[in-house]
Amino acid sequence: MNHTGAPYSVRNALRAVFEERLLATSSRIGHPAQRRAFHEYFVTHLPSSSLSPDKQPGGSHHRLPRNESQPHSQGSSRRSAANLPQSSRDTTIVRIPIKNAKHHFGAGVSRGSRPYNEDTYQAGTIEIPAFAKRQPISVSRRAGGASIEESGVTNLAAKSESGDPQVFYFGVYDGHGGAECSAFLRDRLHGYVEEAALLFGMESTLKPSTSADVDVDDADSEGGVMGAQDAEDLQKSLVSTWKETVGGYFKRFKPDYFPAITNKSGSDSRGETVQSNSIETILTYAFLKADLDFTTAQAHKHTEKKPTAQPPSDDDPVLSDRPLNDNDVLFHPERPASQNLRARAKLSSTPDLTAPIGGTTRFKGGSTASVALIATPTPTPFWHPASPSTLIAAHVGDTRILLCRSSDGKAVPLTTNHHPSAPVEATRLRRYAASFVTDSFGEERVLGLANTRAFGDIASKRIGVSAEPQLTKIDLPAAGYSFLVLMSDGVSGHLDDQEIVDVVKEAKTPADAANALVSFAVEVSEDADNATALVVRLGGWERRNEGGGGSLGTKERRLWRRNEAMNPRSRR
């Protein structure tokens, strides 16, 4: 008897269960289910006094024409501050595009001497619970027991939909072999982070959880939207999928921040215990899941066939010796790419993770990535001089993230390059990689790749080129750091860390700093690569030239390099 029904699919079954539980949870709360949203803007409050007096509902508080104004004199009667007219505390909520806020954020992009640009970047606010360190009550509350929100402070950013302060997201992606993978990360990686936070049941660190607050009816929703054991099951399922799909290195793959796989509670860079719904586990899951989806989508496509002058002959001894599955990368039969055609995505703040990935042909390149998330314990934005914050950096490849310390002006790197020359990466890969070779420039490579961790690169997945991120979490004190820099190897490959920081110090705004940094990196390099730099203002921006002599430490060296680049005879 012929069966005409659709075959059973685990993915479809899980999706149906997920939608059913999400609908039940939303009906219990009393509002429709809404997907977490990523926005390329931040929301803030502006005091009514900053508006035009003509647009204020009550007009000017003095209600006198300008010709009646008189200069201040010492003999005039002085009223106490309590009797002076108080400014209105009414505020107006505004949306400010973060990519256009030149005093808070700057992005510089250049293709260098390459024919096209393969770098991409992203900046905005991501809708996940806050992970910042809670402040003591003595710090979060002012005199009289009033909180910061109740004390009339108007320099506050608006809260997110979850009730926590906004979490800012910055990322730079350096593609190689094409821009398909870097564009995929730019458009969807933040969506994977939001989805992982929802599935794992990430909880805010700013809201103390007590056993008395837990309802019996909501006990089954702990740990995620599908049950208490959902976080552990998701970790095991993802690792099992990597093992079955790729094999090789992933047969014994145990991510550092997957407690369900390592059978113990891991610890982050600061020695703190990592739970299954921690931000470290969520970022690791999001990176590996995005890489798995991209790799699987490319493996299901046909490789682009180059036109030949003559059709191949069946009697060709070279072609006859090739295996039948020579074009298969992950030992799957090739399928048509009709399900992976690139379609014009609808304009939306949150990406559709089920949309087709890539074009009609197989993409064998990849991309590196560096992502920085910043959360604050109060609604005061992280660039305010009196606001502490928490930063976590997720890094794969040779892109780079730097901080500038306000006290001494030194560069503080948050990432290390994942190259075969790194001892940790060499030890990890020598068991599976055939050999390490050194190219003509003196750089070690494995199977022709300069990076041991990357998204994509489907032909090198079996030897261990994974997208497991290196995570670094740091608490930023108020005005303790001046700015944050994210860059591709087109900048960090030609300038050292202190040079990069000193170039930013001499600029007036982060937007000017990003453009100056990219221009200088392209100018002094002999073979300029794609260069992308993001500069983010922090609380100590106004103190960036105070510590360590400002930018004088590398000024002479930078002037010499610029003169050498301008001299046409120096490169003969």
Side-chain angles (χ1 to χ4, degrees):
M1 178 178 178
N2 295 331
H3 296 277
T4 58
Y8 176 77
S9 174
V10 177
R11 175 176 298 181
N12 294 337
L14 288 176
R15 183 177 301 173
V17 174
F18 168 74
E19 292 177 354
E20 181 180 355
R21 292 299 300 269
L22 186 61
L23 182 60
T25 303
S26 61
S27 60
R28 184 192 313 159
I29 296 176
H31 58 79
Q34 294 181 354
R35 176 76 179 281
R36 298 177 182 267
F38 175 86
H39 301 290
E40 294 185 354
Y41 58 82
F42 63 94
V43 183
T44 185
H45 294 278
L46 289 182
S48 301
S49 58
S50 63
L51 301 178
S52 173
D54 297 336
K55 295 182 180 180
Q56 295 184 17
S60 179
H61 66 273
H62 52 72
R63 300 181 182 277
L64 294 176
R66 186 175 296 273
N67 56 6
E68 295 293 336
S69 61
Q70 298 178 358
H72 173 74
S73 61
Q74 294 293 340
S76 60
S77 61
R78 303 183 63 181
R79 292 179 294 176
S80 62
N83 296 329
L84 293 177
Q86 299 293 330
S87 60
S88 175
R89 293 180 180 177
D90 295 336
T91 58
T92 302
I93 300 178
V94 296
R95 295 178 178 179
I96 301 178
I98 192 169
K99 295 181 180 179
N100 297 334
K102 63 178 182 179
H103 292 282
H104 301 85
F105 170 81
V109 179
S110 174
R111 63 180 178 87
S113 59
R114 304 300 172 88
Y116 46 86
N117 192 5
E118 298 175 348
D119 293 354
T120 59
Y121 72 92
Q122 186 60 272
T125 56
I126 189 171
E127 186 65 29
I128 63 174
F131 55 88
K133 183 179 180 180
R134 291 186 62 193
Q135 296 296 302
I137 298 179
S138 60
V139 176
S140 59
R141 288 186 174 272
R142 297 179 176 269
S147 63
I148 295 179
E149 295 88 339
E150 300 170 353
S151 59
V153 177
T154 55
N155 192 5
L156 297 178
K159 295 183 178 180
S160 61
E161 296 179 1
S162 61
D164 290 339
Q166 298 174 103
V167 178
F168 287 79
Y169 176 99
F170 305 97
V172 60
Y173 318 106
D174 184 4
H176 48 267
E180 284 83 350
C181 188
S182 59
F184 165 79
L185 297 176
R186 175 198 61 198
D187 298 334
R188 303 197 192 185
L189 183 58
H190 50 271
Y192 281 96
V193 177
E194 293 174 336
E195 192 75 12
L198 181 64
L199 293 175
F200 278 72
M202 180 180 176
E203 298 179 356
S204 172
T205 58
L206 306 180
K207 300 177 181 179
S209 59
T210 59
S211 58
D213 297 335
V214 180
D215 191 2
V216 178
D217 296 335
D218 296 337
D220 59 343
S221 63
E222 295 181 357
V225 297
M226 289 192 297
Q229 301 297 325
D230 182 39
E232 296 182 0
D233 294 341
L234 288 172
Q235 299 172 43
K236 296 178 181 179
S237 175
L238 181 61
V239 174
S240 176
T241 305
W242 272 109
K243 176 181 178 181
E244 298 173 357
T245 305
V246 180
Y249 167 82
F250 292 95
K251 290 183 178 180
R252 299 177 179 88
F253 183 47
K254 293 184 177 181
D256 293 337
Y257 293 97
F258 273 15
I261 302 300
T262 57
N263 295 325
K264 62 180 180 180
S265 298
S267 59
D268 60 4
S269 58
R270 302 181 299 179
E272 298 179 357
T273 304
V274 176
Q275 304 296 333
S276 293
N277 61 347
S278 64
I279 183 63
E280 291 85 358
T281 303
I282 289 171
L283 286 175
T284 302
Y285 180 87
F287 273 55
L288 293 175
K289 186 65 169 64
D291 189 28
L292 177 64
D293 290 350
F294 185 85
T295 301
T296 306
Q298 304 310 314
H300 289 173
K301 301 177 185 179
H302 288 287
T303 304
E304 184 179 5
K305 298 181 180 180
K306 299 181 179 179
T308 56
Q310 295 180 354
S313 174
D314 296 338
D315 298 333
D316 192 340
V318 177
L319 296 180
S320 61
D321 288 340
R322 293 181 178 178
L324 297 178
N325 62 342
D326 184 44
N327 247 350
D328 280 351
V329 179
L330 301 179
F331 306 98
H332 287 285
E334 293 193 3
R335 305 185 183 93
S338 58
Q339 301 300 322
N340 296 284
L341 298 178
R342 176 178 297 172
R344 184 67 176 178
K346 298 182 179 179
L347 295 178
S348 176
S349 58
T350 300
D352 182 10
L353 302 184
T354 61
I357 300 174
T360 58
T361 58
R362 177 179 296 166
F363 176 72
K364 294 185 178 182
S367 175
T368 61
S370 289
V371 173
L373 280 76
I374 306 178
T376 56
T378 63
T380 308
F382 64 87
W383 57 79
H384 194 276
S387 174
S389 58
T390 300
L391 183 148
I392 184 169
H395 165 67
V396 170
D398 57 1
T399 47
R400 199 159 181 80
I401 301 179
L402 295 176
L403 280 172
C404 177
R405 195 161 41 222
S406 302
S407 59
D408 55 4
K410 296 297 183 181
V412 181
L414 300 181
T415 60
T416 57
N417 293 334
H418 293 148
H419 288 168
S421 57
V424 176
E425 294 301 297
T427 304
R428 184 176 66 89
L429 292 182
R430 286 191 185 279
R431 185 173 182 178
Y432 298 95
S435 61
F436 289 74
V437 298
T438 304
D439 60 9
S440 57
F441 297 97
E443 298 179 355
E444 278 194 283
R445 293 180 178 267
V446 50
L447 294 183
L449 297 176
N451 298 308
T452 56
R453 298 193 192 190
F455 289 87
D457 292 327
I458 59 179
S460 305
K461 285 300 179 187
R462 290 177 58 83
I463 65 170
V465 180
S466 70
E468 181 185 2
Q470 170 197 354
L471 300 177
T472 304
K473 193 175 183 180
I474 180 173
D475 293 327
L476 306 179
Y481 293 90
S482 300
F483 52 84
L484 173 73
V485 185
L486 299 88
M487 74 213 80
S488 63
D489 64 337
V491 177
S492 61
H494 304 289
L495 306 177
D496 59 28
D497 294 347
Q498 195 59 40
E499 282 182 321
I500 294 171
V501 167
D502 290 346
V503 170
V504 177
K505 289 179 182 178
E506 297 178 351
K508 294 182 178 180
T509 64
D512 296 338
N515 293 325
L517 183 58
V518 169
S519 299
F520 181 74
V522 173
E523 186 177 359
V524 300
S525 60
E526 297 183 5
D527 184 17
D529 194 3
N530 298 151
T532 301
L534 308 182
V535 179
V536 182
R537 175 176 181 157
L538 298 180
W541 173 260
E542 299 297 337
R543 299 175 50 193
R544 63 189 183 279
N545 287 315
E546 294 181 4
S551 60
L552 297 178
T554 61
K555 190 174 185 63
E556 185 176 353
R557 186 197 319 169
R558 287 183 283 116
L559 289 176
W560 180 83
R561 295 186 64 177
R562 189 184 297 272
N563 293 333
E564 287 293 309
M566 297 297 293
N567 186 5
R569 297 184 178 182
S570 62
R571 299 184 179 181
R572 287 186 175 180

